[in-house]
Amino acid sequence: MGIEKKLFEYLKNHELPDYLLYTGAGGTKNWLELDRARTFPVARQLKTLLEKNLESILRFIPTGMSLVSVGVGSGEKEELLLKALIRKNLAETPGSGEVPICYYPVDINSEFVDLALARVRNLPVEKRGVVGFIEDIATFKKNWRLPVLFCILGNTFCNYEPEFILQLVRKTLESGDLFLFDASLLPAEGLEAQSARKSILGTYASRENTLFNMYPLLHYGMNPEDLDFELLLAHVDSRIGSVCRTRKNLHILRDSEITIGAEVIRFRRGDVIRMGFTYKYTCDQITAFLDICGFDILKAFLSEDRTNTIILAKRST
């Protein structure tokens, strides 16, 4: 089923999954603009944390590991990792001139895969881009060169149900593979946590992020004045207790219609379009989920303000 057909099927049921925000040429352009916006620093802060701790991370990664990154986006963080892995391989096998690793950027948007590959086109490794969903990763892994460093970067980890994504990753990893991911956090408690909640709401409700979330509807005929973007922070139950996540809705403010291909969808004032979510964990909550899903943490890095983390883990034996 094509992207437009999927969009039509979801919107006629008043749903808009977040992955549809990232598809096509419009999704590529909008995400890159949002990622550069001063009001939306989430991915940039995680990239800074990676840069700061890159050499420490490398100490735990053996030579010869291939790099798989799901939801690769523009591939900036992966470029940093890949260059560092190449340096490590060449330093530990001097004189060979060969780097026996492969890079697999994975994304649902082929334009992002192309961007990620273009960033590293001159690096001396094999490269194989993959267009697809993380749910289909078992199909893609048949052609991987093992072992792999399996990455989910850019806060993408937090856009899935925690046990679903961790169980999927655990089934994907083979003996010797490693799992690297990052997350934008919620400080544990007190005034710092209250301040962070206000900051989160400000970031995710910024004009730039609001327009990013409205884009599919705007692209097919609606105006910004026809919609109101609602973002809430709510607590939901889990096996480790209550955890925080965003809840997003688009409220229709006036009778409107959009045309997708030959199909027309009519909305009435008061209709609500349900969207996706982003979990806002504390560091201890991520640790607890990793434990119950069968992972051992090799190393965790926390930003000074405790609002971002990078974690390197492996399957428990």
Side-chain angles (χ1 to χ4, degrees):
M1 185 184 296
I3 290 299
E4 281 199 341
K5 181 64 174 175
K6 287 184 179 181
L7 181 64
F8 171 77
E9 293 296 330
Y10 277 114
L11 283 177
K12 76 176 183 180
N13 292 315
H14 293 180
E15 296 178 346
L16 179 57
D18 279 359
Y19 79 83
L20 289 170
L21 304 177
Y22 298 87
T23 55
T28 306
K29 176 177 177 292
N30 292 337
W31 168 247
L32 294 176
E33 289 180 354
L34 180 63
D35 191 33
R36 291 191 293 264
R38 180 183 57 81
T39 57
F40 197 82
V42 177
R44 292 196 305 276
Q45 290 173 349
L46 290 167
K47 179 187 172 187
T48 298
L49 185 62
L50 175 64
E51 289 174 316
K52 184 176 180 181
N53 295 285
L54 191 54
E55 294 306 317
S56 297
I57 294 171
L58 284 182
R59 296 191 190 109
F60 294 86
I61 301 174
T63 57
M65 295 202 86
S66 294
L67 176 63
V68 176
S69 186
V70 178
V72 71
S74 65
E76 285 186 284
K77 288 177 284 294
E78 290 77 7
E79 180 185 12
L80 290 171
L81 271 170
L82 199 56
K83 287 180 176 178
L85 289 171
I86 291 169
R87 288 196 303 271
K88 181 182 176 85
N89 275 263
L90 291 176
E92 296 189 10
T93 55
S96 70
E98 296 182 359
V99 182
I101 61 178
C102 192
Y103 174 42
Y104 306 90
V106 182
D107 205 283
I108 62 171
N109 186 335
S110 62
E111 292 197 8
F112 281 135
V113 173
D114 290 341
L115 280 174
L117 289 171
R119 280 187 172 276
V120 299
R121 59 180 173 267
N122 295 323
L123 297 184
V125 296
E126 188 176 344
K127 311 161 191 76
R128 301 177 194 168
V130 179
V131 178
F133 292 85
I134 193 169
E135 291 84 350
D136 302 320
I137 206 71
T139 302
F140 308 143
K141 68 172 286 187
K142 295 175 183 177
N143 299 314
W144 290 352
R145 181 181 297 168
L146 301 175
V148 300
L149 175 64
F150 188 86
C151 301
I152 304 179
L153 301 173
N155 205 45
T156 302
F157 171 82
C158 298
N159 296 335
Y160 293 93
E161 292 294 344
E163 291 190 62
F164 164 78
I165 191 65
L166 287 173
Q167 289 166 2
L168 181 63
V169 172
R170 195 177 194 284
K171 290 177 183 177
T172 300
L173 297 185
E174 302 289 343
S175 176
D177 293 345
L178 298 178
F179 177 36
L180 182 71
F181 69 101
D182 59 19
S184 176
L185 299 174
L186 186 69
E189 57 188 14
L191 293 176
E192 192 175 16
Q194 294 177 22
S195 175
R197 284 183 172 88
K198 291 180 181 178
S199 176
I200 290 165
L201 290 172
T203 295
Y204 284 89
S206 65
R207 174 172 173 76
E208 290 81 1
N209 193 49
T210 295
L211 291 173
F212 176 73
N213 281 270
M214 290 180 175
Y215 170 75
L217 291 166
L218 303 182
H219 180 70
Y220 289 101
M222 293 184 75
N223 298 309
E225 296 76 22
D226 298 334
L227 303 162
D228 182 50
F229 176 60
E230 177 188 47
L231 180 101
L232 301 171
L233 274 177
H235 287 276
V236 295
D237 292 332
S238 75
R239 275 214 286 166
I240 66 165
S242 178
V243 293
C244 191
R245 76 177 184 189
T246 63
R247 188 174 70 208
K248 300 190 298 182
N249 296 300
L250 288 171
H251 292 264
I252 306 300
L253 302 180
R254 63 186 76 175
D255 293 357
S256 312
E257 67 179 38
I258 60 173
T259 303
I260 303 176
E263 306 283 358
V264 175
I265 302 175
R266 293 179 175 86
F267 297 104
R268 301 297 300 272
R269 179 183 176 186
D271 286 346
V272 178
I273 298 172
R274 299 173 299 277
M275 301 188 70
F277 56 82
T278 298
Y279 275 92
K280 302 301 294 187
Y281 304 106
T282 66
C283 199
D284 287 345
Q285 287 171 339
I286 291 181
T287 300
F289 276 121
L290 286 167
D291 182 57
I292 64 173
C293 290
F295 286 89
D296 294 329
I297 295 176
L298 298 177
K299 188 67 178 179
F301 302 89
L302 193 62
S303 62
E304 291 182 4
D305 61 1
R306 297 187 296 152
T307 60
N308 293 286
T309 189
I310 298 174
I311 295 175
L312 182 65
K314 67 175 184 177
R315 283 176 47 177
S316 302
T317 54

